[in-house]
Amino acid sequence: MPKVNDFVVKFANVNGSGSASANNMFAKAVFRMGIPVSPHNIFPSNIQGLPTWYEVRISEDSYLGRREGVDLMVAMNEQTIKEDIDAVVPGGFVLFDSSKSLSRDLIRDDVSYLPIPLKDICLKEFDKPAQRQLFKNIVYVGALAAFLNIDFKVLTELVSDQFRGKEKLILPNIHALELGHQYASENFDCPLPLQLKSSDKNNNKILMDGNTAVGLGCVYGGATIASWYPLTPSTSVVDSFGKYCKRLRIDPGSGKNKFSIIQAEDELAAIGIAIGAGWNGARAFTASSGPGVSLMQEFLGLAYFSEVPVVLFNIQRVGPSTGMPTRTQQGDLLCCAYASHGDTKQILLFPSTPKECFEFAANSFDIADRLQTPVIVMSDLELGMNEQICDQLVWDDSKAYDRGKVLSEEQLEEMEKFGRYQDVDGDGIPYRTYPGTHPHKGSYFTRGSSHDANAAYTEDGNVYAEVMDRIALKFETALQYLPEPEISDMSRNRLGIIYFGTTASAIQEVLDSLSKKGIALDTLRLKAFPFHTSVKEFINCHDLVYIIEQNRDAQLKSLLKIECNTNEDQMHSILSYNGVLITAQHIEREILDSMPALEDTGNIPA
C-alpha cells in the first residue's frame, strides 16, 4: 500500500558541500505542489567538513512538527552513513552514491536500496571539479523527482526562479535534474510506494522563516534603528531588517536611508545603543541569543528601572555557555522573565509561527512604548532559521502606532510641574518626554540609581519602595496590552496541556493520536508573560496539566509555580532538550507512560 503525501525524507550531507540549495529546492517543490511540508535543517557550528542533515516532513494532514523515523534517507555522508541507515524505518528506502560500493555491514534486510552512481555521472557530464561536486546534489534531486512522482515542471520553474539574473546557470542545473530523473526512471520501478500527489492544502499559504518575518515586522512596526553584534542564530534578523529597509525605508526624493543599522563591538554595547535610541524617541531593537542576552542583563535592568522602551529578539539556542550554537532550545525563559539583578520582571512574547513572528515583532514596539519598558520576543533557532508554512502576512495600513504617554510641547506648556515618574492615572505608567520637546519644561535626569517620582536622586528606602511598587503595578496594567493565551476549552476534560513557542508544532498531532486511544485533553498555548488570570484558572480547572517545554529544568513549570502559586501536584513536566524540535511521538509516550501512575492515585479515570 503506497504512502501518499505522508512520509519523511532526510538528507545526510557534509557541511560546505553545496547541498543546502538542492535540499531546499526539494522542499519548495513539494510546497509548490500544494502539499504541506516542513523542512528542518540540522547543521554544525563550523564552516565545513562536519555532518549536516536536512529533514523534510511531508504530511497531507498538516502535521508539521518533526516525526521520528525516516522513510527515505539520502545518504551522502560516509562519516554518518551507518547511523543514517539505522534511522530508516522498516520498509523504507536508502538512496546512496553507488560510484563506490556499499560496505556489507550497512546492508539491512528490511529496507530497500536505491544505488545511483552520482559521482560517475557528474565526472562524465561536467568538466569543472566544482561543478561536479555541486551538481551531484542536483542529480539526486532529479532522481527523487522520479522516485516520488514530483512534477518535473515545478523543479525547472524553481531553478529558473533561483537563478534569475544568472541565466547561464539555469540550463546546466536543469540538465543535472534531467540526468538524475532519467537514471532513476530507466533503472528502477518508479514511482516508489512513497509518492507525492498534487494537493490544494497550501492555498493562500506561504513558506517563510521566523527571522525573516521578524525583520519585516520590525519595519512595519516603525523601527528605524537596529544595533547588534553577530551571533547565531539571531544574525539573520538584522540582515532581514536591512534587506527590507533598503526596499521600504529609502527617501524617494533624496535617496537617503531613513534607518540606521549599527554593528556594535559587543552585545552589551548593542543593547545600550538601542536603549539610548529609545530614550531619544526612536523605535529601536537588538537581536541576540542566550550568550548575548546574558551580557545584556545589566542594561535590561537599567531600562526596566529608568523606564525606557526597547525591544530585544532572543532567538534561543542550546546553552549554557557556548552550548550548541546551531541547535534549538527554550532554555532562556527564567533568565529573561527576571532579567537583570534585583527585583525585575520583563515582558515576554512567545510566537509560534512566522506569521506570529511578524505580528509580535510589529506589536512589540507599541507594547514597549505604551509600558515604557523592555519587551523580549522569545523565538528560537527552529522557528527563526527554518522555513515553515504559515498564513499570509497581513497589515492594516490604517493602523496608527501607539507611542504611549508622551507629552507634547503644548501639553507641557499647560502643566504647572512635570514629574517623570509620577503615577497620574493610577495604572503604574508615568508620562515621559522626548529630549528637546520644550525649551524649559519636561527635562529630567535619567538615572539607574534610586530616584523619586520627580526623577530626583534619593536613598530613602521608603521612596525607593514606592517607585518599585508603582512599577509592579505597571505590569498588572500590561495584561490589557499583551496577547491572551489560546485556550481550546477550560473544563471539558480532566487533563490539560500548556505549551508555548515551537512546541505548538506537535500538539495537534498528539491530540488526534490520543483521541483515537480514548484520551482527551484541553489545551492552552501561552503567548505572553506576565500570565493572564486565565492561565491559573486553566490549571485549577484540571486534575492534571502537562507542561510541554524544551529545556532540562522545567523552567515554564517553575515560572507557573512562582507567578500563579499553583499546586505542583497538578502539573507534570514533559521535557526535551537534545537540540532538535520536540516530536509528537515523544509527548505521547510521556503522557501514556504517566497514565498507570495517575490511575493508581485516582487522579484520572482508568
Side-chain angles (χ1 to χ4, degrees):
M1 191 74 177
K3 288 185 177 181
V4 179
N5 296 352
D6 185 18
F7 51 90
V8 173
V9 179
K10 191 169 184 178
F11 300 82
N13 300 98
V14 176
N15 200 33
S17 63
S19 60
S21 59
N23 299 342
N24 184 255
M25 182 191 301
F26 170 81
K28 286 187 174 179
V30 178
F31 174 77
R32 289 197 179 188
M33 290 178 66
I35 306 165
V37 62
S38 178
H40 307 275
N41 193 12
I42 305 168
F43 59 102
S45 57
N46 75 332
I47 296 174
Q48 63 180 27
L50 288 181
T52 182
W53 294 270
Y54 190 79
E55 196 172 271
V56 181
R57 172 86 184 270
I58 298 162
S59 171
E60 182 76 12
D61 294 323
S62 297
Y63 296 146
L64 299 179
R66 285 187 65 247
R67 197 209 76 188
E68 296 172 5
V70 178
D71 297 290
L72 194 162
M73 177 68 73
V74 182
M76 296 290 118
N77 188 352
E78 291 186 13
Q79 296 176 336
T80 64
I81 193 166
K82 176 71 167 64
E83 63 184 87
D84 294 331
I85 293 176
D86 287 346
V88 179
V89 299
F93 298 84
V94 177
L95 190 163
F96 69 99
D97 186 355
S98 61
S99 303
K100 180 180 177 181
S101 59
L102 202 62
S103 173
R104 294 178 67 88
D105 66 333
L106 298 176
I107 304 300
R108 284 175 52 186
D109 295 335
D110 59 348
V111 301
S112 300
Y113 291 83
L114 307 171
I116 300 179
L118 298 169
K119 182 178 179 182
D120 292 345
I121 291 173
C122 291
L123 279 171
K124 179 181 176 182
E125 296 290 334
F126 303 105
D127 297 329
K128 298 177 181 178
Q131 283 185 326
R132 292 168 178 166
Q133 173 60 46
L134 293 172
F135 285 133
K136 185 170 77 169
N137 306 313
I138 304 299
V139 172
Y140 70 60
V141 173
L144 288 172
F147 287 135
L148 304 177
N149 199 32
I150 297 175
D151 186 340
F152 200 79
K153 183 182 177 182
V154 170
L155 285 173
T156 58
E157 290 174 348
L158 277 167
V159 169
S160 299
D161 291 345
Q162 183 173 336
F163 295 107
R164 186 176 288 118
K166 301 177 182 179
E167 274 68 21
K168 66 180 182 178
L169 297 176
I170 294 176
L171 288 179
N173 275 274
I174 292 176
H175 179 53
L177 287 171
E178 290 172 338
L179 290 170
H181 192 277
Q182 181 180 355
Y183 187 92
S185 299
E186 292 176 353
N187 291 277
F188 300 92
D189 291 331
C190 295
L192 301 175
L194 305 177
Q195 297 174 20
L196 297 172
K197 182 179 179 181
S198 293
S199 177
D200 60 359
K201 290 292 183 71
N202 295 338
N203 287 349
N204 299 316
K205 302 284 187 178
I206 60 173
L207 198 61
M208 191 177 204
D209 67 82
N211 283 358
T212 297
V214 165
L216 184 60
C218 289
V219 174
Y220 275 83
T224 56
I225 293 176
S227 54
W228 67 306
Y229 183 81
L231 187 67
T232 301
S234 65
T235 298
S236 55
V237 169
V238 181
D239 288 343
S240 172
F241 177 70
K243 177 183 71 175
Y244 287 118
C245 279
K246 289 173 183 175
R247 290 171 52 188
L248 302 171
R249 283 279 170 82
I250 305 296
D251 183 76
S254 65
K256 293 183 178 180
N257 292 344
K258 296 196 291 183
F259 67 95
S260 178
I261 298 175
I262 305 158
Q263 182 172 332
E265 64 267 29
D266 55 33
E267 290 88 349
L268 186 58
I271 195 167
I273 293 168
I275 291 170
W279 173 86
N280 206 38
R283 290 195 151 182
F285 73 93
T286 187
S288 193
S289 190
V293 174
S294 296
L295 293 175
M296 296 176 179
Q297 297 275 316
E298 185 174 0
F299 260 145
L300 284 168
L302 172 66
Y304 171 88
F305 194 47
S306 59
E307 300 180 67
V308 178
V310 67
V311 176
L312 164 62
F313 296 96
N314 181 3
I315 317 301
Q316 297 169 91
R317 71 188 203 189
V318 174
S321 190
T322 306
M324 292 195 291
T326 56
R327 299 290 194 270
T328 197
Q329 203 172 71
Q330 294 174 317
D332 298 344
L333 188 58
L334 285 175
C335 85
C336 287
Y338 305 118
S340 198
H341 53 280
D343 292 320
T344 54
K345 183 180 289 188
Q346 307 292 356
I347 302 292
L348 308 182
L349 300 177
F350 306 122
S352 291
T353 65
K355 186 174 189 289
E356 285 191 341
C357 284
F358 170 77
E359 294 169 346
F360 287 14
N363 293 334
S364 65
F365 295 96
D366 277 358
I367 296 170
D369 273 350
R370 164 54 66 180
L371 298 173
Q372 301 173 31
T373 197
V375 172
I376 307 176
V377 182
M378 304 288 285
S379 180
D380 58 29
L381 185 145
E382 173 64 37
L383 176 57
M385 296 191 71
N386 287 316
E387 290 185 317
Q388 298 184 22
I389 290 178
C390 67
D391 294 330
Q392 294 185 27
L393 310 185
V394 178
W395 183 258
D396 181 1
D397 287 329
S398 66
K399 176 181 169 65
Y401 298 139
D402 183 355
R403 300 311 303 264
K405 297 182 179 182
V406 180
L407 296 172
S408 66
E409 181 178 7
E410 292 75 16
Q411 289 172 314
L412 286 169
E413 187 65 40
E414 294 173 0
M415 294 178 65
E416 182 177 343
K417 184 180 180 181
F418 167 70
R420 170 63 181 96
Y421 298 115
Q422 290 181 358
D423 185 7
V424 177
D425 300 321
D427 59 2
I429 305 172
Y431 285 81
R432 65 182 177 128
T433 60
Y434 297 147
T437 299
H438 191 282
H440 307 298
K441 293 181 178 180
S443 61
Y444 61 95
F445 193 87
T446 304
R447 61 177 83 242
S449 54
S450 182
H451 49 263
D452 63 15
N454 294 315
Y457 173 77
T458 180
E459 292 195 20
D460 186 321
N462 293 327
V463 173
Y464 162 81
E466 289 174 0
V467 172
M468 293 296 288
D469 289 342
R470 196 260 308 155
I471 293 176
L473 174 61
K474 179 166 67 172
F475 281 76
E476 295 178 20
T477 301
L479 294 177
Q480 64 185 281
Y481 303 110
L482 300 181
E484 294 190 12
E486 183 180 282
I487 303 174
S488 67
D489 204 294
M490 189 67 81
S491 58
R492 187 182 63 190
N493 302 297
R494 298 181 67 184
L495 298 176
I497 291 180
I498 292 179
Y499 60 102
F500 70 109
T502 50
T503 58
S505 65
I507 299 302
Q508 190 58 52
E509 186 174 3
V510 172
L511 295 175
D512 291 347
S513 181
L514 288 175
S515 178
K516 294 174 183 177
K517 297 176 175 66
I519 301 171
L521 302 97
D522 298 329
T523 64
L524 183 149
R525 177 165 72 90
L526 294 167
K527 294 185 179 182
F529 174 81
F531 301 131
H532 289 79
T533 56
S534 56
V535 176
K536 183 174 182 178
E537 291 171 6
F538 181 88
I539 296 172
N540 289 339
C541 282
H542 294 86
D543 292 341
L544 186 74
V545 176
Y546 294 97
I547 312 297
I548 318 296
E549 52 184 316
Q550 298 175 115
N551 57 68
R552 184 195 69 182
D553 294 338
Q555 295 184 30
L556 176 57
K557 181 180 177 181
S558 295
L559 199 57
L560 288 166
K561 286 162 58 180
I562 295 168
E563 295 292 327
C564 300
N565 194 27
T566 53
N567 181 355
E568 184 170 1
D569 293 338
Q570 282 183 274
M571 298 186 291
H572 181 93
S573 291
I574 296 179
L575 308 174
S576 178
Y577 44 91
N578 59 359
V580 293
L581 183 63
I582 194 171
T583 66
Q585 293 75 34
H586 173 74
I587 297 172
E588 182 175 351
R589 277 195 305 272
E590 291 283 318
I591 291 176
L592 292 176
D593 287 348
S594 73
M595 287 294 167
L598 295 173
E599 291 165 6
D600 290 343
T601 61
N603 284 336
I604 64 167

